Short mmCIF file of all heavy atoms in Angstrom, two decimals:
data_model
loop_
_atom_site.label_atom_id
_atom_site.label_comp_id
_atom_site.label_asym_id
_atom_site.label_seq_id
_atom_site.Cartn_x
_atom_site.Cartn_y
_atom_site.Cartn_z
N SER A 1112 19.70 77.71 -59.14
CA SER A 1112 19.44 76.71 -60.18
C SER A 1112 19.74 75.33 -59.61
O SER A 1112 20.76 75.15 -58.94
CB SER A 1112 20.30 76.97 -61.41
OG SER A 1112 19.91 78.17 -62.04
N ILE A 1113 18.87 74.40 -59.89
CA ILE A 1113 19.03 73.06 -59.33
C ILE A 1113 18.81 72.00 -60.41
O ILE A 1113 18.19 72.26 -61.44
CB ILE A 1113 18.02 72.79 -58.19
CG1 ILE A 1113 16.57 72.95 -58.70
CG2 ILE A 1113 18.29 73.72 -57.01
CD1 ILE A 1113 15.52 72.48 -57.70
N SER A 1114 19.34 70.85 -60.14
CA SER A 1114 18.96 69.66 -60.92
C SER A 1114 18.14 68.80 -59.96
O SER A 1114 18.38 68.82 -58.74
CB SER A 1114 20.19 68.91 -61.42
OG SER A 1114 20.98 68.47 -60.34
N PHE A 1115 17.19 68.09 -60.48
CA PHE A 1115 16.34 67.29 -59.61
C PHE A 1115 15.87 66.03 -60.32
O PHE A 1115 15.83 65.97 -61.56
CB PHE A 1115 15.13 68.10 -59.13
CG PHE A 1115 14.31 68.69 -60.25
CD1 PHE A 1115 13.24 67.98 -60.79
CD2 PHE A 1115 14.60 69.94 -60.76
CE1 PHE A 1115 12.47 68.51 -61.82
CE2 PHE A 1115 13.85 70.48 -61.81
CZ PHE A 1115 12.79 69.76 -62.33
N SER A 1116 15.52 65.05 -59.52
CA SER A 1116 14.93 63.83 -60.05
C SER A 1116 13.85 63.38 -59.08
O SER A 1116 13.83 63.80 -57.92
CB SER A 1116 15.99 62.73 -60.22
OG SER A 1116 16.58 62.43 -58.98
N GLY A 1117 12.94 62.56 -59.56
CA GLY A 1117 11.87 62.10 -58.69
C GLY A 1117 10.76 61.42 -59.46
O GLY A 1117 10.90 61.11 -60.64
N ALA A 1118 9.67 61.20 -58.75
CA ALA A 1118 8.53 60.49 -59.33
C ALA A 1118 7.42 61.47 -59.70
O ALA A 1118 7.17 62.43 -58.98
CB ALA A 1118 7.99 59.47 -58.34
N VAL A 1119 6.80 61.21 -60.83
CA VAL A 1119 5.68 62.03 -61.26
C VAL A 1119 4.58 61.11 -61.80
O VAL A 1119 4.87 60.06 -62.37
CB VAL A 1119 6.12 63.05 -62.34
CG1 VAL A 1119 6.55 62.35 -63.62
CG2 VAL A 1119 5.02 64.06 -62.63
N LYS A 1120 3.36 61.52 -61.58
CA LYS A 1120 2.21 60.72 -62.03
C LYS A 1120 1.58 61.38 -63.24
O LYS A 1120 1.29 62.57 -63.23
CB LYS A 1120 1.19 60.63 -60.89
CG LYS A 1120 -0.02 59.76 -61.19
CD LYS A 1120 -0.96 59.74 -59.98
CE LYS A 1120 -2.18 58.87 -60.21
NZ LYS A 1120 -3.09 58.89 -59.04
N LEU A 1121 1.39 60.60 -64.28
CA LEU A 1121 0.74 61.10 -65.49
C LEU A 1121 -0.49 60.26 -65.80
O LEU A 1121 -0.53 59.06 -65.50
CB LEU A 1121 1.70 61.04 -66.69
CG LEU A 1121 2.96 61.89 -66.64
CD1 LEU A 1121 3.76 61.70 -67.93
CD2 LEU A 1121 2.64 63.36 -66.42
N SER A 1122 -1.46 60.92 -66.40
CA SER A 1122 -2.68 60.22 -66.80
C SER A 1122 -2.75 60.12 -68.32
O SER A 1122 -2.29 61.01 -69.04
CB SER A 1122 -3.90 60.98 -66.27
OG SER A 1122 -5.09 60.48 -66.87
N LYS A 1123 -3.36 59.04 -68.79
CA LYS A 1123 -3.52 58.89 -70.23
C LYS A 1123 -4.51 59.91 -70.80
O LYS A 1123 -4.52 60.15 -72.00
CB LYS A 1123 -4.01 57.46 -70.55
CG LYS A 1123 -2.93 56.41 -70.38
CD LYS A 1123 -3.44 55.04 -70.79
CE LYS A 1123 -2.34 54.00 -70.71
NZ LYS A 1123 -2.81 52.65 -71.07
N LYS A 1124 -5.33 60.48 -69.92
CA LYS A 1124 -6.27 61.50 -70.35
C LYS A 1124 -5.64 62.89 -70.36
O LYS A 1124 -6.27 63.86 -70.75
CB LYS A 1124 -7.49 61.49 -69.43
CG LYS A 1124 -8.30 60.21 -69.50
CD LYS A 1124 -9.51 60.29 -68.58
CE LYS A 1124 -10.35 59.01 -68.67
NZ LYS A 1124 -11.53 59.06 -67.77
N GLN A 1125 -4.39 62.94 -69.92
CA GLN A 1125 -3.70 64.21 -69.78
C GLN A 1125 -3.25 64.73 -71.15
O GLN A 1125 -2.58 64.04 -71.90
CB GLN A 1125 -2.48 64.01 -68.89
CG GLN A 1125 -1.96 65.28 -68.27
CD GLN A 1125 -1.04 64.94 -67.09
OE1 GLN A 1125 -1.11 63.86 -66.51
NE2 GLN A 1125 -0.20 65.89 -66.74
N THR A 1126 -3.62 65.96 -71.44
CA THR A 1126 -3.19 66.56 -72.70
C THR A 1126 -2.19 67.69 -72.45
O THR A 1126 -1.36 67.99 -73.30
CB THR A 1126 -4.40 67.13 -73.47
OG1 THR A 1126 -5.12 68.03 -72.61
CG2 THR A 1126 -5.33 66.02 -73.91
N LEU A 1127 -2.27 68.29 -71.26
CA LEU A 1127 -1.31 69.34 -70.89
C LEU A 1127 -0.37 68.82 -69.82
O LEU A 1127 -0.72 67.94 -69.04
CB LEU A 1127 -2.06 70.58 -70.38
CG LEU A 1127 -3.04 71.23 -71.36
CD1 LEU A 1127 -3.80 72.36 -70.67
CD2 LEU A 1127 -2.30 71.77 -72.59
N PHE A 1128 0.83 69.36 -69.79
CA PHE A 1128 1.83 68.91 -68.82
C PHE A 1128 2.28 70.09 -67.95
O PHE A 1128 3.46 70.31 -67.74
CB PHE A 1128 2.99 68.25 -69.55
CG PHE A 1128 2.58 67.03 -70.30
CD1 PHE A 1128 2.22 67.12 -71.64
CD2 PHE A 1128 2.52 65.80 -69.67
CE1 PHE A 1128 1.82 65.99 -72.34
CE2 PHE A 1128 2.12 64.67 -70.35
CZ PHE A 1128 1.76 64.76 -71.69
N THR A 1129 1.31 70.84 -67.49
CA THR A 1129 1.60 71.97 -66.61
C THR A 1129 1.28 71.60 -65.16
O THR A 1129 0.53 70.67 -64.89
CB THR A 1129 0.76 73.20 -67.01
OG1 THR A 1129 -0.63 72.83 -66.96
CG2 THR A 1129 1.11 73.66 -68.41
N ASP A 1130 1.88 72.33 -64.25
CA ASP A 1130 1.63 72.14 -62.82
C ASP A 1130 1.94 70.72 -62.35
O ASP A 1130 1.23 70.15 -61.51
CB ASP A 1130 0.17 72.48 -62.47
CG ASP A 1130 -0.18 73.92 -62.79
OD1 ASP A 1130 0.75 74.75 -62.88
OD2 ASP A 1130 -1.38 74.21 -62.95
N LEU A 1131 2.98 70.14 -62.91
CA LEU A 1131 3.35 68.79 -62.49
C LEU A 1131 3.93 68.82 -61.08
O LEU A 1131 4.78 69.65 -60.76
CB LEU A 1131 4.38 68.21 -63.46
CG LEU A 1131 3.90 67.94 -64.89
CD1 LEU A 1131 5.06 67.43 -65.74
CD2 LEU A 1131 2.75 66.95 -64.89
N LEU A 1132 3.45 67.91 -60.24
CA LEU A 1132 3.97 67.81 -58.88
C LEU A 1132 4.92 66.61 -58.82
O LEU A 1132 4.54 65.48 -59.12
CB LEU A 1132 2.83 67.61 -57.88
CG LEU A 1132 3.28 67.46 -56.42
CD1 LEU A 1132 3.97 68.74 -55.93
CD2 LEU A 1132 2.10 67.12 -55.52
N ILE A 1133 6.14 66.91 -58.42
CA ILE A 1133 7.19 65.87 -58.40
C ILE A 1133 7.52 65.51 -56.95
O ILE A 1133 7.74 66.38 -56.11
CB ILE A 1133 8.46 66.40 -59.11
CG1 ILE A 1133 8.14 66.65 -60.59
CG2 ILE A 1133 9.61 65.41 -58.95
CD1 ILE A 1133 9.10 67.57 -61.27
N ILE A 1134 7.51 64.22 -56.67
CA ILE A 1134 8.00 63.73 -55.38
C ILE A 1134 9.49 63.45 -55.57
O ILE A 1134 9.85 62.54 -56.31
CB ILE A 1134 7.26 62.44 -54.94
CG1 ILE A 1134 5.76 62.70 -54.84
CG2 ILE A 1134 7.82 61.95 -53.61
CD1 ILE A 1134 5.36 63.76 -53.84
N PRO A 1135 10.34 64.22 -54.95
CA PRO A 1135 11.77 64.15 -55.28
C PRO A 1135 12.48 62.91 -54.74
O PRO A 1135 12.13 62.40 -53.67
CB PRO A 1135 12.32 65.41 -54.62
CG PRO A 1135 11.44 65.60 -53.43
CD PRO A 1135 10.06 65.17 -53.88
N SER A 1136 13.46 62.47 -55.49
CA SER A 1136 14.37 61.45 -54.98
C SER A 1136 15.73 62.08 -54.73
O SER A 1136 16.53 61.58 -53.94
CB SER A 1136 14.51 60.29 -55.98
OG SER A 1136 14.93 60.76 -57.24
N GLN A 1137 15.96 63.22 -55.41
CA GLN A 1137 17.24 63.90 -55.27
C GLN A 1137 17.13 65.35 -55.75
O GLN A 1137 16.45 65.63 -56.74
CB GLN A 1137 18.31 63.17 -56.09
CG GLN A 1137 19.73 63.44 -55.67
CD GLN A 1137 20.70 62.50 -56.36
OE1 GLN A 1137 20.55 62.18 -57.54
NE2 GLN A 1137 21.70 62.06 -55.66
#
Side-chain angles (χ1 to χ4, degrees):
S1112 293
I1113 59 170
S1114 61
F1115 55 91
S1116 60
V1119 66
K1120 183 180 181 181
L1121 296 181
S1122 168
K1123 287 184 176 179
K1124 295 181 179 179
Q1125 200 162 339
T1126 54
L1127 300 175
F1128 297 93
T1129 57
D1130 300 338
L1131 294 177
L1132 179 63
I1133 296 160
I1134 301 300
S1136 57
Q1137 201 171 38

